[in-house]
Amino acid sequence: MSNPVIEAPPTAPAVTWQEGEVLARRAAARNKRKRLALLVAGWVVLLLIWQVAAYYLPFGTLPNPLEVGAEMWEIIASGALVSDFMASVLKTFAGFGVAVLVGAPVGYLMGRHNYWKAFFHDGVTVAGTIPALTYAVLSLIIFGLSNLGPVLAVALVSTPYVAINVAEGIRGVDQQLVKMSQAFGRSQQQIRREVYLPTIVPYMFAAVRMSFAVAWKVEALTEVFGGTNGVGFQIRNEYQLFNITGVIAWMALFIVFMLIIERLVLRKLEAKVLAWRPEERVRT
Amino acid sequence: MAVLTVNDLCKTFGAGTARANRVLDHITFDVRGQTFVSIVGPSGCGKSTLLNIISGVETHTSGEISVTSDAGKPARLGYVFQDPRLLPWRSVRRNMLYVQDADDEVTRRRVDTYLDMVGLGKHGDFFPGQLSGGMQQRVGIARAFAVEPDLLIMDEPFSHLDAITARGLRAQLQDIWAQSKKTVVFVTHDVVEAVELSDRIIVLQPGGRIFEDITIDLPRPRRQSDPAVATLQAEVLARLENMKAMTPQVAAAG
């Protein structure tokens, strides 16, 4: 048996992973172009339907896209956009911050210990099932006309999402990695930081994604009823003036803003933080 | 000087109960520094239990066991597991630094040296997911050597790899070992592998006794193609066949 294998490094596959990654990235770029074209087509169709509907409906019920566009531009130019959107954004983030502060520890306990899971499980499930509108009304009753109402509403809506996802993340922790860390004498704190936390991060993103859409709606809704500033407050203002164009313009800006946050901010951040995952490397 | 001393070690699961199960039965051996010792035996002979007791994960029922370091410091252990067990969210280099106690210039240089030794000097910034299974296991080996352990415990590190990759890694392990001369306890069920790598093979038999303690006196580096290696492998295998025939049917023990 004359065998030269020892001198050679382990055999390389026909396509190295670098080449494979280049191919995958090219395919992803092709798909991206296709998706982009369909996205634009979707918007065009939507605007056309709107235009046709505005034309046939009685005058004054539905302004056409151009009128709304002009109104949107006015709002942007007047500076109201920045101040009111900032107000809404800050309230949403504050509420979400509260949700993380409360929901993350609850989720941690639920994921780590079965006793705590039994303790919290029904409460969290019920809290997640209650309609968001209920939270909005409840917050208004508690805080009346103030900025705290929307914050509380957002916190109440988001907390169950955060708790459930963190619990799921903790259960997903690879115990083999924990044992490895202990074998090498790592401290509890190191294990939490290097094993537990990175495992939870993708689940946290999922929590943000899921709760953000709902949280925004509740935030705006609470402002409609009892806000002193913000997007919802402006929508109510326009409504009271019977300015339908204004209502739709604010609504449209709201949608645009949500899309920007979800598509650009959250997704970019996620891609950056989760760069270690193979699927993230191909997608970006 | 003996790095690992095992004296009259017994381990009984469920001691004192009707279902008491003795898995290690009066084991005595010691491992001198800078030697490569393999522990082989069929599944159920108590290999993993012995390993767990050495690493302190499990307690023993009676007897003594000690791991000593020179200079009286607490003994440092290094591990290579069956699978790589790397943190997927940390680069290869950060994975190696994670198990180090310091993060200074000296440590970084040592980490890079061992990465070079396993042929992954250029892959320090890669994530584990970007490497093949064999490369990941090489990182696992480099990680264990890089902590400069008094005792390096390897638990069937090649059993999950394909034959060709495993063969390449065995050759590489020999090279690193020759350069670093760490004390290694290598657990495997593969006698052929044990003969190629070890200075000494401790054969456990079902029931948890030492069946044989074989010294392998072959020049290094050993290559599988070497007829002397092949002859010895066949001989040890034959002795193990013999053990199987001699051992009474003992209830399988964990």
Side-chain angles (χ1 to χ4, degrees), chain A residues 11-27:
Chain A
T11 49
V15 178
T16 65
W17 69 266
Q18 288 104 329
E19 288 162 3
E21 204 145 286
V22 169
L23 289 178
R25 204 166 280 158
R26 258 183 227 151

Side-chain angles (χ1 to χ4, degrees), chain A residues 1-3 5-8 10-11 17-18 21 176-177 179-181 183-186 190-191 193-196 198-199 275-276 278 281, chain B residues 77-79 81 83 85-90 98-101 126-127 129-130 138 143-144 147 164-165 167-169 171 196 223-225:
Chain A
M1 230 169 61
S2 67
N3 201 330
V5 145
I6 306 295
E7 264 61 52
T11 49
W17 69 266
Q18 288 104 329
E21 204 145 286
Q176 302 278 55
L177 290 179
K179 280 186 194 145
M180 178 276 291
S181 304
F184 278 103
R186 299 301 90 191
Q190 278 176 307
I191 296 174
R193 200 183 57 225
E194 297 285 323
V195 181
Y196 277 85
T199 310
W276 56 272
R281 280 201 302 278
Chain B
L77 300 182
Y79 295 85
F81 307 93
D83 29 47
R85 298 204 193 174
L86 304 173
L87 306 174
W89 38 80
R90 294 281 178 260
Y98 171 52
V99 299
Q100 298 282 343
D101 288 333
F126 283 53
F127 288 112
Q130 293 172 295
R138 270 144 74 190
R143 174 178 65 185
V147 302
I164 307 283
T165 308
R167 194 184 270 204
L169 258 69
E196 185 185 335
R223 295 300 181 231
Q224 243 186 341
S225 48

Side-chain angles (χ1 to χ4, degrees), chain B residues 1-244:
Chain B
M1 203 182 91
V3 168
L4 172 66
T5 315
V6 178
N7 191 15
D8 207 24
L9 189 80
C10 291
K11 172 70 182 181
T12 309
F13 284 109
T17 67
R19 294 169 65 186
N21 183 8
R22 172 153 289 186
V23 285
L24 292 174
D25 194 3
H26 300 284
I27 303 264
T28 300
F29 69 95
D30 53 24
V31 175
R32 278 188 301 118
Q34 308 198 327
T35 51
F36 196 118
V37 176
S38 286
I39 296 174
V40 297
S43 30
C45 69
K47 292 191 302 275
S48 9
T49 309
L50 180 58
L51 208 63
N52 287 341
I53 293 174
I54 294 174
S55 57
V57 177
E58 226 163 304
T59 56
H60 51 284
T61 314
S62 67
E64 285 152 28
I65 183 160
S66 71
V67 186
T68 46
S69 73
D70 23 68
K73 284 180 291 186
R76 185 192 287 274
L77 300 182
Y79 295 85
V80 180
F81 307 93
Q82 277 182 26
D83 29 47
R85 298 204 193 174
L86 304 173
L87 306 174
W89 38 80
R90 294 281 178 260
S91 70
V92 164
R93 189 174 287 112
R94 288 239 59 99
N95 259 287
M96 307 241 324
L97 285 168
Y98 171 52
V99 299
Q100 298 282 343
D101 288 333
D103 188 4
D104 50 23
E105 198 44 46
V106 184
T107 314
R108 282 160 188 271
R109 214 171 304 135
R110 184 170 65 231
V111 159
D112 283 341
T113 308
Y114 280 101
L115 264 184
D116 273 336
M117 272 194 219
V118 294
L120 293 173
K122 292 197 179 77
H123 295 78
D125 295 324
F126 283 53
F127 288 112
Q130 293 172 295
L131 305 179
S132 70
M135 287 159 101
Q136 290 183 30
Q137 191 61 316
R138 270 144 74 190
V139 176
I141 293 171
R143 174 178 65 185
F145 272 97
V147 302
E148 311 244 272
D150 298 300
L151 181 66
L152 178 52
I153 294 171
M154 306 183 85
D155 184 8
E156 305 197 21
F158 306 134
S159 60
H160 286 179
L161 299 174
D162 65 88
I164 307 283
T165 308
R167 194 184 270 204
L169 258 69
R170 280 199 295 272
Q172 211 163 37
L173 174 60
Q174 284 192 61
D175 294 342
I176 306 173
W177 185 78
Q179 285 176 64
S180 66
K181 285 283 181 186
K182 294 288 163 214
T183 313
V184 177
V185 171
F186 185 98
V187 170
T188 178
H189 56 252
D190 183 350
V191 178
V192 174
E193 177 174 89
V195 172
E196 185 185 335
L197 295 169
S198 325
D199 298 315
R200 190 177 147 205
I201 300 176
I202 294 170
V203 184
L204 289 184
Q205 65 186 44
R209 285 190 200 163
I210 294 181
F211 175 75
E212 225 173 339
D213 195 333
I214 307 166
T215 303
I216 307 291
D217 197 9
L218 285 174
R220 289 174 186 274
R222 297 171 192 158
R223 295 300 181 231
Q224 243 186 341
S225 48
D226 187 343
V229 175
T231 312
L232 203 55
Q233 281 168 342
E235 196 188 316
V236 174
L237 263 175
R239 272 147 101 171
L240 255 72
E241 286 288 315
N242 199 22
M243 168 182 94
K244 226 175 179 180

